[in-house]
Structures are given as C-alpha cells and as structure tokens.
Amino acid sequence: MEKVELGGNVEINPRVGMIFNLENETYDFYNSYGGILGFSIRRDFAHKSYKNKAVITCRRFVCNKVGFRREDKRDIHTKKPQAETRTECPARMGIYLMENGNYECRDFVEKHNHPLHIPGTTHFMRSQRKISEIHSYEMDLANDSGINPKAIFELMGRQAGGTENLGYKCQDQKNYLRTKRQNFLSYGEAGSLLRYFEDQSRNNPSFTYLMQLDSDEQITNIFWADQKMRIDYAQFGDVVSFDTTFCTNKAYRSFGIFAGFNHHRGVIIFGAALLYNETV
C-alpha cells in the first residue's frame, strides 16, 4: 500500500512501534487511515488500571466488520431481517500504555477480508460521518426558526453542492437535534431555573426569589431580584410600574418587570417575573 500523508510529514500508515500521546489521538489516527482506505472503525475491548479506572492501559481498535452476529431468537418470522454486515474481519490496531504515560502500537493487522469502500462512498461509513461545527450552528439556527429536519437537510445539501458533500446523513442530523433537545431538557426547565437561583443565592446572599405553586404543586409564577435591583428599589421605589408587554417564551409564559425611574430619569429595574398568565 502506498504511504499517504495528510499535510506536513504526518505518517498515516499504522505500524508497530508508533507512539501516541492519548487514546483519543490514536482513534483519530486510525479513523483517518480507515477513511483513506475505505473502511469504518470502532473501539473494541479496553483494559483499565486497577489503581485508577479512568486510565486505559490497553485498547484495541478494529474494523467495524469484525466478529459475527449472534443468532436472534426473538422472532424467526421477521419479514425484512437486517442485512448481515460482519465478516469476522481480522484488521485491527492495538495500543498499550507505557511508563511515561504515552501509548505504543504493539499490534497491527492490515489485511481485510471484505471489499473496501470507494472514495465516493466513504462518507456513508459510520466512523467517518461527522457534523462540522459550522453545520451544527446552521442546524441550530434553522431548527430554532421552526424548519423541519428534512427541509434542514435539503437546505444544507444545496449549500454544500449536494448531500454527498455534507459528510453525514439525514439520520445523523436527526440524532444531533434529538440529543441537543434531550440535553436541554435533561434537568428540566423548572429545575434548571431553580438551580440557577440557588447558585446566585450562594454567591450573593442579597439575591432573592420566590415561586408560587398551584394546587397540584406545579410552579406558576416566579419572581426574583438581585442585589442591585434591591438597592435601586430602596432609593427610587416611590413609584413602581409593572410591565408585561415583553415577548413570551416557547411555553407562552409572560415575562414582566418591575420598573421605575432614577434621579436622571433613566429607567431602572426593581425585579422580574415569569408568569403563568396575566391575572392579578
């Protein structure tokens, strides 16, 4: 196989004796090698240190077609069974932790027992599919604007001159948006807000907040004020205006502020509220 270099003098052919700083660095290296040859990779087994479970003492990276699928006994009458993709491919690369904290390649098998992808189809391989930072930003922007995922994927494909130039598939985009949504809701909106209030109260004892609950112990109205708001109210709180003409959030909760004027006739805020509705 011809030696390939990815800019500079970076060697791209794995060999026994190569040294790597990190386990992730080895994965990226072997994944780049797989992308050039036309196969997808995955992490296989790993051994961890007995003293520190966060330290990996040895790791093996393999072709994604390694091994074989076990017989599925759940349903023998499946009309459209999933196609067999594993061929017990022997290709692999193994690294071991050295005394100085680096990793050394001590096991490498180059041979594959299956056809490899051609350059025009490498972007379909699982380990080669990746959403770039600029694409993720555009996805977030389009998703926040209410565009459905299918239309987002078509738009991104047109900008890239074809979906084959994106480097990922439509399902990868759906997974990204779903993961983002799950992470956003992992703590819950109310829980996240309560955690923010607790952090503020811990850092500044003058910060105060209050939550009103309904008969089902669900949060309805939330009020809060920081140190500066309380100081301003003590000095200029003779006249207070409560304004709810601001925009609402996605849950259609009204946002209101307690406002007044200072001695320069400038608007100052005494407090804020997130309301369930606009009733008294």
Side-chain angles (χ1 to χ4, degrees):
M1 184 182 62
E2 182 183 358
K3 180 179 177 180
V4 184
E5 295 184 353
L6 295 179
N9 296 320
V10 180
E11 185 177 1
I12 199 62
N13 286 342
R15 57 177 173 80
V16 174
M18 296 187 72
I19 305 299
F20 301 92
N21 295 325
L22 302 170
E23 185 265 350
N24 288 336
E25 178 182 311
T26 313
Y27 175 88
D28 294 337
F29 170 80
Y30 193 55
N31 192 38
S32 298
Y33 167 76
I36 293 175
L37 260 69
F39 69 94
S40 183
I41 75 165
R42 62 183 174 88
R43 289 180 170 92
D44 199 17
F45 73 85
H47 290 167
K48 298 182 179 180
S49 172
Y50 291 104
K51 297 180 180 180
N52 186 356
K53 296 298 182 181
V55 177
I56 296 176
T57 57
C58 69
R59 165 76 79 178
R60 176 184 290 176
F61 304 96
V62 296
C63 173
N64 74 325
K65 293 185 180 294
V66 69
F68 59 91
R69 183 195 302 171
R70 294 181 180 179
E71 182 181 358
D72 189 354
K73 300 180 180 180
R74 292 175 297 178
D75 188 0
I76 61 175
H77 303 291
T78 302
K79 294 182 179 179
K80 295 182 179 180
Q82 187 176 1
E84 180 61 64
T85 59
R86 300 194 178 186
T87 62
E88 297 188 60
C89 180
R92 64 181 182 269
M93 177 180 178
I95 57 173
Y96 293 80
L97 182 65
M98 304 170 63
E99 293 183 357
N100 61 2
N102 294 335
Y103 289 92
E104 180 184 7
C105 176
R106 298 181 185 175
D107 179 29
F108 174 63
V109 177
E110 180 180 2
K111 182 180 179 181
H112 295 264
N113 62 1
H114 57 87
L116 301 178
H117 283 259
I118 62 176
T121 61
T122 54
H123 64 283
F124 288 116
M125 298 187 298
R126 181 179 295 274
S127 67
Q128 303 300 326
R129 301 199 305 260
K130 182 179 180 181
I131 298 177
S132 65
E133 183 178 354
I134 184 63
H135 283 165
S136 63
Y137 175 79
E138 292 180 352
M139 283 182 198
D140 295 338
L141 188 62
N143 184 60
D144 294 340
S145 300
I147 304 176
N148 65 68
K150 184 178 180 180
I152 294 176
F153 186 73
E154 293 178 354
L155 174 63
M156 303 287 284
R158 291 182 180 180
Q159 293 177 343
T163 55
E164 66 277 3
N165 298 324
L166 289 176
Y168 58 89
K169 299 194 299 184
C170 186
Q171 185 61 42
D172 298 319
Q173 175 186 277
K174 293 180 181 179
N175 294 339
Y176 168 80
L177 294 175
R178 181 174 64 249
T179 302
K180 176 191 172 185
R181 190 179 304 112
Q182 291 173 347
N183 292 337
F184 179 75
L185 298 175
S186 59
Y187 198 83
E189 291 184 352
S192 299
L193 188 60
L194 182 60
R195 182 173 58 180
Y196 170 77
F197 287 159
E198 291 175 348
D199 292 340
Q200 293 297 316
S201 299
R202 190 180 304 109
N203 297 330
N204 186 355
S206 297
F207 185 90
T208 183
Y209 66 94
L210 176 66
M211 295 186 179
Q212 292 182 338
L213 307 179
D214 60 13
S215 58
D216 297 326
E217 298 297 321
Q218 299 294 319
I219 296 176
T220 55
N221 303 318
I222 306 172
F223 302 87
W224 69 93
D226 59 21
Q227 181 182 16
K228 184 178 183 304
M229 294 176 181
R230 299 180 66 177
I231 293 176
D232 289 341
Y233 176 75
Q235 296 181 351
F236 308 107
D238 296 333
V239 178
V240 179
S241 171
F242 184 59
D243 191 354
T244 60
T245 58
F246 294 89
C247 61
T248 60
N249 63 355
K250 292 183 178 181
Y252 299 100
R253 295 291 185 92
S254 299
F255 177 72
I257 62 171
F258 298 88
F261 293 93
N262 58 19
H263 53 285
H264 296 295
R265 295 187 179 181
V267 177
I268 53 177
I269 298 177
F270 301 138
L274 194 61
L275 308 176
Y276 179 77
N277 53 39
E278 295 188 22
T279 60
V280 176

